[in-house]
Amino acid sequence: MKKLINDPDHVVDEMLDGIAAAHADVIRRLPGWNVLVRKDAPMIGKVGLVSGGGSGHEPAHAGFIGENMLDAAVAGEVFTSPAPDQILEAIKAVDSGNGVLLIVKNYSGDVMNFDMAAEMAAAEGIDTEQVVIKDDIAVENEEDRRGVAGTVLVHKIVGTAVEEGLNLQEAAELAHQVSGSMKSMGVSLQPSTVPASGKPGFSLAEDEIELGTGIHGEPGMERKKLKPADAITEELLEKVMAELEVSSGDEAAVLVNGQGATPLMELYIMYRKAEEILTEKNISVKKAMVGEYMTSLEMAGCSFTLLKLDSTLNKYLP
């Protein structure tokens, strides 16, 4: 597949330079590191928030740096975990003496490297806490569930809360609450191609879809024939609602996330049906987010995330 790149070996470095240049009023790049940092970090009196992971999921995570969001994002190579020393530099750059919360998607490399970075930070006298996001219900074993687009809701809610003064332990507890109150599931219509390999991650016939694919092109739980958007929305949302155990009278936030090559037109068609289903079940949508938040390069498809709200989450969800 054609790509607007120069050298596949330099895509991440050049991307980070481009992001820093385009948004120089908000963020800066740490010289020599694959780390983007909020321009005014560290902020005195505030817990630092750091997230990250492999590149290829833009705007995640660098696109969520700023007020009421992240203080830093660490970028690995495409679909590859960032190294511990890169993560440590991000931690050091945002710590004001109040500690740093690490928001980590549940992939073995990410978890291992963020753990190592936390140990290195402790050796330098920096307190950290971690939350590992496991919102993808396509994986049956809950402990093995992948972190996907719901991670962005943790950024938003905890980011707002720490701006309002939550300490490190309180921020970690809130992050765990958000993580435990949401579920996600996706569907793919076509794969993505990693620049270095030049080959699609998997193959689908023109009339096929894959339910439950991961954000790195991991296989899903089931391959089916293509259906109309309403039928796909109903199937995904029913699975998510069953896992989350929402019921009549509940309040929720809904995130419809594009995987990289799906027009907004189609995402809004999906959201339209989702809100119709939720309204019929007397579930009130208090926050709707539709767009590309965590992509998979140029994969076509989308995911649904449902977050069950209570008074605390409502307070901090902008």
Side-chain angles (χ1 to χ4, degrees):
M1 183 171 287
K2 297 174 183 177
K3 298 277 187 180
L4 288 173
I5 62 173
N6 297 308
D7 185 333
D9 292 335
H10 298 156
V11 290
V12 174
D13 185 55
E14 292 179 354
M15 174 191 70
L16 292 174
D17 278 347
I19 294 172
H23 306 289
D25 57 326
V26 178
I27 60 178
R28 57 189 171 90
R29 182 176 181 181
L30 295 186
W33 301 98
N34 287 359
V35 178
L36 294 171
V37 180
R38 184 170 166 176
K39 193 170 182 179
D40 53 0
M43 297 186 65
I44 302 303
K46 188 182 86 67
V47 171
L49 292 188
V50 173
S51 192
S55 296
H57 305 303
E58 292 71 35
H61 292 277
F64 305 121
I65 296 172
E67 186 177 359
N68 293 327
M69 291 287 277
L70 297 176
D71 294 293
V74 194
E77 294 302 314
V78 175
F79 295 174
T80 303
S81 304
D85 59 342
Q86 302 270 359
I87 301 166
L88 176 63
E89 290 303 313
I91 293 170
K92 290 160 61 176
V94 305
D95 177 50
S96 66
N98 292 79
V100 177
L101 177 65
L102 308 177
I103 301 171
V104 187
K105 300 187 301 301
N106 191 34
Y107 297 93
S108 56
D110 286 11
V111 173
M112 179 178 67
N113 290 350
F114 273 87
D115 279 345
M116 291 176 63
E119 292 174 3
M120 294 159 69
E124 298 196 24
I126 302 174
D127 292 330
T128 64
E129 292 283 348
Q130 294 186 63
V131 58
V132 178
I133 310 302
K134 306 173 183 178
D135 56 315
D136 185 4
I137 66 168
V139 178
E140 186 173 355
N141 185 343
E142 290 192 20
E143 286 305 306
D144 295 332
R145 287 180 170 175
R146 304 170 293 217
V148 289
T151 308
V152 177
L153 293 169
V154 182
H155 296 167
K156 289 182 69 67
I157 292 172
V158 181
T160 299
V162 296
E163 294 271 1
E164 296 187 13
L166 262 64
N167 63 34
L168 180 58
Q169 187 59 47
E170 291 168 337
E173 290 172 359
L174 178 61
H176 284 291
Q177 180 186 351
V178 180
S179 182
S181 301
M182 67 182 181
K183 305 293 180 185
S184 302
M185 190 171 175
V187 59
S188 294
L189 284 69
Q190 71 179 35
S192 60
T193 300
V194 176
S197 72
K199 298 178 181 179
F202 57 91
S203 61
L204 286 172
E206 283 295 317
D207 63 344
E208 288 182 327
I209 60 173
E210 183 129 358
L211 293 177
T213 42
I215 59 174
H216 306 109
E218 302 97 328
M221 60 190 296
E222 190 175 5
R223 188 163 292 191
K224 293 189 169 187
K225 293 296 184 181
L226 180 63
K227 303 176 183 179
D230 282 1
I232 296 172
T233 301
E234 186 169 4
E235 183 167 2
L236 288 176
L237 199 58
E238 289 291 346
K239 291 180 184 297
V240 171
M241 287 191 296
E243 282 272 346
L244 196 57
E245 298 181 351
V246 289
S247 57
S248 177
D250 285 338
E251 296 180 339
V254 180
L255 169 61
V256 181
N257 173 65
Q259 293 178 340
T262 305
L264 272 172
M265 174 187 286
E266 296 175 23
L267 298 180
Y268 279 114
I269 289 171
M270 303 285 277
Y271 177 78
R272 158 195 155 274
K273 182 61 177 178
E275 183 170 290
E276 178 185 302
I277 292 168
L278 292 168
T279 299
E280 287 174 354
K281 295 182 179 296
N282 194 33
I283 297 167
S284 175
V285 178
K286 291 297 184 181
K287 178 75 174 181
M289 297 166 61
V290 181
E292 292 188 337
Y293 294 90
M294 186 171 292
T295 62
S296 304
L297 294 171
E298 80 285 21
M299 188 183 291
C302 73
S303 63
F304 280 96
T305 300
L306 196 63
L307 171 65
K308 188 175 179 178
L309 297 171
D310 64 7
S311 58
T312 300
L313 300 188
N314 264 321
K315 175 182 177 182
Y316 293 120
L317 183 61

